[in-house]
Amino acid sequence: MATTRRDFLRNSALASSLLLVPKFLHALDRGPGLARLGDAPGARRLIVVQLSGGNDGLNTIIPYKNDLYYRARPTLGIREAQGILALEKDLGLHPALKGLKGLYDQGHLAVLNSVGYPNPDRSHFRSMDIWQSGSGADQAVSTGWLGRYLDSNCPDCQHPYNALEIDDTLSLALKGTARKGLALKNPGKFHQLNQNRLLAQVSQQAAPAHHDQVDYLYKTLAETASSADYLYEKSKIYRSAVAYPNSDFGKNLKTTAELITSGVESRVYYLALSGFDTHVRQQEQQQRLLTDLGDGLAALANDLQQNNQWHNTLVLVFSEFGRRVGQNASNGTDHGTANNVLLLGGGLRQKGVLNAAPDLANLDQGDLRHQVDFRSIYASILKDWLGADDAAILGTGFERTAGLV
């Protein structure tokens, strides 16, 4: 059976890094004349923040005037006297989210409650696949919603660095059929790793009988090498003086702001904050993580505001599912279903709490019922923010929220 180009690359020893390319193989270097994204009329970028593990939405956006909340959580429920940060519609932010309260007061935060999808799955892996692919619970999709955006008719998405994941590995969300994003933690280390590879490692994999596979491999590696050079050079331009949390997440947000302000033409950035699987002793764990989240996003907004890049930036914050309404016996919460989604940015058209609080009197066997399909939010972002064909990327049937972004 003939070996396909995709099989050749997947089976190659080089496939794990895609960095092994000689310095002179830069036939696909970024061409001249591309303007800085932030300077292009109407240009916009998206930053996605994934809260991995299933963040407890009810203790993030708290229905602190609802007695049913406290009956379900006699010890885990957060009381107004503990410093809940009041919003509207009888909801408030977790006391650790002071950074987000500041953005709310500026009109730079929007909250959507009860977001989910039909027939929800409580598996971390499966539910995350659903959110990252933008698929239904009854579908198995091998591409991500943002990867399909890269595949779409997007004139600004021709290079791997047009979608960056600030991490060591690339998530499904950024994998398309023809195009995919690029994962890196540090532009300098990424560049150095690329420079340390040898042409011999490429040639050992290149069987003369498969010239088309060799060409494909060289093209893929050259794209990565060119992107590494480009990102490294851009990363020298701006060094942030804003104080970010001294955490991995804080450092990743700082890297994101530095790349944006340095002029990297990425349309999408993807980050994750992990640790939200709070079955046991939730209060301490969520307090720490939400402090990191709120302070980090406030620092990012401040950084981008100082450099006139906040008005054309949209931040989407989601988690793969919420938690059960009732607390468990270990002072934690178990896997649930619907959750809240946050949108942040200087160009929001709708601000504040955009829909009603979760209905705690109408549960589905102890779980919240979803009122908003997450793909409707994706559709609004794709069409109204990024200017893409949302139906071609997600399929039909997902009504966009008018005037959301």
Side-chain angles (χ1 to χ4, degrees):
M1 181 180 296
T3 302
T4 66
R5 291 181 177 187
R6 184 175 296 176
D7 290 338
F8 176 81
L9 183 59
R10 184 187 298 118
N11 294 331
S12 168
L14 309 178
S16 61
S17 66
L18 298 182
L19 301 175
L20 318 181
V21 63
K23 182 70 175 177
F24 65 84
L25 257 175
H26 284 184
L28 300 175
D29 271 346
R30 174 178 173 270
L34 284 178
R36 181 171 117 150
L37 176 64
D39 298 330
R44 292 166 169 175
R45 70 178 62 83
L46 171 68
I47 300 174
V48 179
V49 176
Q50 170 184 298
L51 307 182
S52 302
N55 177 46
D56 180 16
L58 279 178
N59 273 22
T60 302
I61 308 296
I62 305 166
Y64 66 98
K65 294 189 177 182
N66 190 330
D67 289 342
L68 294 177
Y69 165 72
Y70 294 107
R71 289 180 199 170
R73 301 181 170 202
T75 60
L76 197 59
I78 299 175
R79 306 281 171 174
E80 190 171 3
Q82 293 176 260
I84 290 174
L85 306 168
L87 299 176
E88 56 199 276
K89 300 181 180 178
D90 292 340
L91 294 170
L93 288 167
H94 188 288
L97 292 171
K98 295 181 177 63
L100 292 191
K101 180 59 163 62
L103 292 173
Y104 169 84
D105 291 340
Q106 295 177 57
H108 296 171
L109 172 67
V111 177
L112 281 159
N113 295 299
S114 306
V115 181
Y117 56 90
N119 303 312
D121 196 299
R122 290 179 179 81
S123 161
H124 290 294
F125 303 105
R126 179 61 188 139
S127 191
M128 188 62 80
D129 277 353
I130 290 168
W131 276 83
Q132 289 193 358
S133 65
S135 65
D138 58 345
Q139 298 173 293
V141 178
S142 61
T143 57
W145 72 286
L146 293 169
R148 296 194 299 277
Y149 162 67
L150 299 178
D151 283 340
S152 70
N153 186 22
C154 174
D156 299 322
C157 299
Q158 299 173 8
H159 303 279
Y161 57 74
N162 289 134
L164 294 175
E165 182 155 6
I166 311 302
D167 206 337
D168 293 322
T169 57
L170 192 67
S171 296
L172 172 63
L174 298 183
K175 295 179 180 178
T177 300
R179 294 176 180 169
K180 61 181 64 178
L182 193 66
L184 76 159
K185 289 275 286 185
N186 179 289
K189 292 180 180 178
F190 185 62
H191 178 262
Q192 186 60 49
L193 179 60
N194 174 68
Q195 295 301 304
N196 288 340
R197 305 300 184 176
L198 302 174
L199 174 60
Q201 293 176 285
V202 174
S203 60
Q204 287 172 5
Q205 301 295 324
H210 298 292
H211 294 295
D212 56 341
Q213 287 92 345
V214 174
D215 290 344
Y216 178 68
L217 178 60
Y218 276 2
K219 177 181 181 294
T220 304
L221 298 179
E223 285 178 339
T224 306
S226 177
S227 295
D229 287 347
Y230 166 72
L231 293 168
Y232 177 60
E233 292 304 318
K234 281 290 189 182
S235 70
K236 299 176 185 178
I237 295 174
Y238 173 72
R239 289 288 186 270
S240 175
V242 172
Y244 285 81
N246 186 26
S247 63
D248 194 52
F249 180 66
K251 292 172 185 175
N252 291 345
L253 285 170
K254 184 176 182 181
T255 296
T256 300
E258 290 177 342
L259 290 173
I260 288 171
T261 305
S262 295
V264 171
E265 291 101 353
S266 179
R267 300 301 303 273
V268 177
Y269 293 83
Y270 202 94
L271 302 90
L273 176 59
S274 302
F276 286 96
D277 197 16
T278 51
H279 293 277
V280 178
R281 298 182 60 187
Q282 176 176 298
Q283 289 174 325
E284 299 91 337
Q285 179 81 341
Q286 194 184 36
Q287 170 85 21
R288 178 181 63 80
L289 291 168
L290 292 184
T291 299
D292 205 7
L293 177 69
D295 291 355
L297 290 176
L300 175 76
N302 180 27
D303 209 342
L304 295 182
Q305 282 176 309
Q306 289 182 23
N307 291 284
N308 196 32
Q309 296 297 322
W310 184 235
H311 66 285
N312 59 357
T313 298
L314 176 68
V315 182
L316 166 69
V317 183
F318 82 95
S319 194
E320 72 265 36
F321 47 61
R323 317 296 291 190
R324 300 277 286 176
V325 173
Q327 68 181 60
N328 62 26
S330 301
N331 207 27
T333 51
D334 298 323
H335 297 180
T337 53
N339 207 348
N340 39 57
V341 163
L342 309 180
L343 295 171
L344 302 92
L348 294 178
R349 296 176 64 184
Q350 292 193 54
K351 308 160 188 178
V353 181
L354 303 187
N355 61 346
D359 187 352
L360 301 185
N362 182 23
L363 303 180
D364 181 7
Q365 299 180 36
D367 282 316
L368 298 177
R369 297 180 186 274
H370 90 275
Q371 303 297 326
V372 178
D373 193 303
F374 75 98
R375 289 162 293 186
S376 295
I377 301 173
Y378 286 1
S380 298
I381 292 171
L382 288 167
K383 180 68 174 181
D384 300 329
W385 186 257
L386 295 175
D389 186 343
D390 58 300
I393 295 169
L394 297 172
T396 58
F398 306 112
E399 184 176 351
R400 301 195 305 275
T401 303
L404 180 62
V405 291

